[in-house]
Amino acid sequence: MAIQTRSSSRKTTTDDQAVNDEQQQNDAPPPNRAARRAAQKKEAREAKNTKTSKSIRSSKKNNPNNRTPTATSSSQVRPLTNPKTTHYEFGGVLGAIGMIVFLPLLVLAFAYGCDKTGYKPVERSYQFMSNFDKYALIDGLKNWHYGSVLFYLGIVLQLAVYSQALPGEEVEGVPLRDGRRLKYKINAMASLQSLLMIAVMALRGQGWTVFLWTKTHFADIALFSVAFSFLVSICVYVSSFFGHKMLALGGNTGNPIYDFMIGRELNPRIGNFDIKFFTELRPGLIMWLCLNICFAIYQWVELGRVTYSMILVNVFQAWYVLDALINESSVLTTMDITTDGFGFMLAFGNLCWVPMMYSLQARYLSDYPVDLSIPHLLAIVALQFIGYYIFRSANSQKDTFRKDPSHPKVADLQYIETKAGTRLITSGWWGKARHINYLGDWLMSVAWCLPCGFDSIIPYFYCIYFAILLIHRERRDEDKCRKKYGEDWERYCSIVKYRIIPGIY
């Protein structure tokens, strides 16, 4: 052992001397300026190559399963990742045109056709069209208040900044077609808290001016929300043609009108800012909450008190919004994120439709207060709790089962194995109906409308529209699952017979 040690020591010393001699030779300055420049360039290349090789070795060490990617041409990748869409939804191109044209007009009809003089959007729209006067329209646009831009963008841009600046848990989405899993920062509640705190500090000492202004200029805000949703839709559609983007399977028909409506790119991003994920919950839901608060304060100023009906609507809808923000990560497994592209349908729906149409009940009560009897009040509260219990417990059961089927809460659930490698639950909530969570969602929508009384059907537009939306969404889900699971889905439907309402539908 001692001999080996001394031997290796002598060898090391000899090697060191050789290295030092070689280094001294290398350190000797080249004979002229051109030679020195050439030597410097050579050293820079060697340093760069050494750094690259170390990085590759480190990467392989940390993840031995990784392989060095091979270069592939875009013509080889595109047919595999972005197949041509051949199946149309929503009535095809004509349906897309109808949605792009008539949904914004419907929002504006409810915005400009409902006020203290009456909630008559259909009648007033008909009068406007039959007695169309372009000069009156121009005068109306001239009276549009620029403050609506400040109100709307003040909320949206703040939330965008908070989504990036504030800390939050990073979670991975579902695997994409190319095997990647995008990362998302979960900090919606922190963003809401920051927005409210900044608003309280900024409005301190100004009284109720901003809240009353918002109620008065609601139609102007709605008009700008329509324009902004179109702007976002156009930007993401144009952007989808630059670079090699992953397109939605349902949004690559080649028809510009349909693709613009349904959404062409699956996950449009600016850096790590995911536009679809941000738009899905934060701007629409939080602005809806802010508008409801403004309408409640308007009623308090005008009436001198806040009615129980207004309190119920604000509490129920705030409850819904907060629940969605707290469970923000659950949206990553929904069809909107995993399947649908981001286009006019989602941009308009979240940036305009949700805040401007879902706040209809609170706006109606600010103009037409309703006092509820105690039995009426208790019945509405009971309906809300039943709906929420079904909605949240069913979704929680599904999410828990997806994450860990052996979890004690779901370990006893029955299911069938599919050829696709997934499991379909056939007991518990999901054994009662294939879309049982939609039932709870709809019951809550009815509970939000009942506080408005029965003097007008307009406040009930939401629950009527929502029923149609849920049935259509259920049909879309069924169609996609039938294509994905084939015979397994038919077998599943033979076990779980009902779609949404157990024993009825």
Side-chain angles (χ1 to χ4, degrees):
M1 178 70 71
I3 294 174
Q4 290 178 356
T5 304
R6 288 194 295 270
S7 170
S8 61
S9 175
R10 287 195 298 271
K11 182 178 180 182
T12 302
T13 304
T14 304
D15 292 343
D16 290 342
Q17 291 175 354
V19 170
N20 291 335
D21 292 341
E22 181 180 356
Q23 186 173 358
Q24 290 176 359
Q25 293 176 1
N26 292 337
D27 291 342
N32 54 51
R33 182 178 299 176
R36 285 198 299 272
R37 288 180 178 175
Q40 290 172 355
K41 290 182 180 179
K42 182 179 179 181
E43 290 176 0
R45 284 197 300 270
E46 290 176 351
K48 183 177 180 181
N49 292 335
T50 302
K51 184 177 180 181
T52 303
S53 62
K54 287 182 179 180
S55 176
I56 293 174
R57 287 196 302 270
S58 175
S59 175
K60 289 182 177 181
K61 182 178 179 181
N62 294 333
N63 191 356
N65 295 325
N66 279 352
R67 296 181 180 180
T68 304
T70 57
T72 56
S73 65
S74 59
S75 60
Q76 292 175 330
V77 176
R78 186 171 293 110
L80 298 175
T81 58
N82 296 322
K84 198 75 172 179
T85 302
T86 57
H87 174 69
Y88 287 81
E89 297 182 284
F90 299 99
V93 178
L94 291 179
I97 294 174
M99 292 179 67
I100 295 171
V101 173
F102 291 108
L103 288 181
L105 292 178
L106 187 61
V107 170
L108 297 179
F110 273 77
Y112 287 95
C114 300
D115 53 32
K116 276 187 173 295
T117 62
Y119 272 58
K120 302 175 181 179
V122 178
E123 179 181 340
R124 292 182 178 178
S125 298
Y126 175 77
Q127 292 175 354
F128 175 79
M129 296 302 295
S130 59
N131 302 315
F132 182 75
D133 184 354
K134 67 176 182 180
Y135 297 106
L137 178 62
I138 294 173
D139 290 338
L141 293 176
K142 288 181 179 179
N143 293 328
W144 174 79
H145 202 289
Y146 68 90
S148 58
V149 178
L150 300 178
F151 176 85
Y152 188 91
L153 291 184
I155 294 176
V156 174
L157 295 182
Q158 277 192 79
L159 292 175
V161 171
Y162 297 151
S163 71
Q164 296 297 294
L166 295 177
E169 178 188 2
E170 283 198 350
V171 301
E172 290 185 335
V174 299
L176 300 176
R177 296 196 302 275
D178 59 0
R180 293 182 301 125
R181 300 183 71 170
L182 299 178
K183 292 185 177 181
Y184 302 88
K185 185 188 289 187
I186 306 300
N187 60 4
M189 278 301 297
S191 298
L192 173 62
Q193 293 168 2
S194 300
L195 179 72
L196 294 179
M197 287 302 299
I198 293 295
V200 169
M201 297 300 294
L203 299 176
R204 185 177 57 178
Q206 297 186 28
W208 309 117
T209 304
V210 174
F211 302 94
L212 303 181
W213 180 93
T214 302
K215 171 61 173 66
T216 304
H217 294 274
F218 172 81
D220 295 338
I221 299 172
L223 179 60
F224 180 75
S225 71
V226 171
F228 185 74
S229 63
F230 268 100
L231 177 63
V232 172
S233 304
I234 293 171
C235 289
V236 294
Y237 177 75
V238 172
S239 172
S240 68
F241 290 94
F242 293 91
H244 184 61
K245 307 292 182 62
M246 178 174 289
L247 306 183
L249 293 177
N252 191 25
T253 65
N255 185 288
I257 297 176
Y258 182 82
D259 292 348
F260 170 79
M261 187 281 296
I262 200 71
R264 192 168 185 269
E265 187 177 349
L266 183 62
N267 300 107
R269 287 192 162 203
I270 303 174
N272 62 349
F273 178 71
D274 193 290
I275 300 175
K276 183 167 70 169
F277 176 69
F278 169 77
T279 307
E280 183 68 19
L281 290 182
R282 304 189 189 196
L285 293 184
I286 292 176
M287 193 173 303
W288 172 20
L289 180 65
C290 293
L291 289 172
N292 278 0
I293 294 173
C294 291
F295 298 146
I297 291 176
Y298 179 87
Q299 187 191 73
W300 183 39
V301 172
E302 290 289 307
L303 193 63
R305 61 189 177 90
V306 180
T307 61
Y308 286 131
S309 56
M310 178 66 86
I311 293 174
L312 282 186
V313 168
N314 269 266
V315 170
F316 289 167
Q317 296 184 354
W319 181 357
Y320 184 88
V321 170
L322 294 176
D323 179 77
L325 299 181
I326 291 171
N327 297 280
E328 184 183 20
S329 60
S330 298
V331 78
L332 296 177
T333 60
T334 62
M335 181 183 294
D336 286 356
I337 298 295
T338 63
T339 306
D340 292 336
F342 185 73
F344 175 81
M345 181 175 69
L346 289 181
F348 175 81
N350 291 307
L351 295 173
C352 176
W353 184 270
V354 168
M356 302 306 150
M357 298 299 288
Y358 285 22
S359 59
L360 179 61
Q361 291 78 33
R363 184 157 68 103
Y364 176 84
L365 291 173
S366 68
D367 289 323
Y368 297 94
V370 175
D371 287 307
L372 299 174
S373 63
I374 297 301
H376 193 178
L377 179 71
L378 295 177
I380 294 174
V381 172
L383 182 62
Q384 166 70 15
F385 272 93
I386 292 172
Y388 178 79
Y389 175 71
I390 296 174
F391 174 78
R392 179 48 56 200
S393 57
N395 282 334
S396 297
Q397 188 178 79
K398 179 181 65 176
D399 290 339
T400 303
F401 185 82
R402 282 179 173 176
K403 294 175 182 177
D404 182 12
S406 62
H407 193 281
K409 292 183 179 180
V410 296
D412 296 333
L413 291 179
Q414 299 176 5
Y415 56 87
I416 62 173
E417 294 274 2
T418 68
K419 296 177 183 178
T422 56
R423 300 171 178 177
L424 301 176
I425 305 173
T426 58
S427 64
W429 279 113
W430 301 95
K432 301 181 186 300
R434 300 193 291 272
H435 305 275
I436 188 68
N437 56 328
Y438 290 176
L439 174 61
D441 214 354
W442 186 74
L443 290 177
M444 285 191 289
S445 73
V446 176
W448 301 349
C449 298
L450 288 174
C452 297
F454 302 100
D455 291 337
S456 173
I457 196 175
I458 296 301
Y460 290 85
F461 169 82
Y462 173 70
C463 65
I464 296 171
Y465 142 80
F466 201 51
I468 298 172
L469 174 70
L470 291 177
I471 292 173
H472 180 267
R473 183 180 295 174
E474 173 262 322
R475 294 302 176 100
R476 288 185 72 204
D477 290 346
E478 292 275 328
D479 182 64
K480 292 181 182 298
C481 291
R482 187 168 283 105
K483 292 177 180 178
K484 178 179 180 180
Y485 298 116
E487 296 178 355
D488 292 327
W489 185 255
E490 300 299 334
R491 181 160 59 99
Y492 171 69
C493 293
S494 67
I495 300 173
V496 184
K497 301 180 182 298
Y498 298 101
R499 297 172 181 263
I500 297 178
I501 307 176
I504 298 176
Y505 174 75

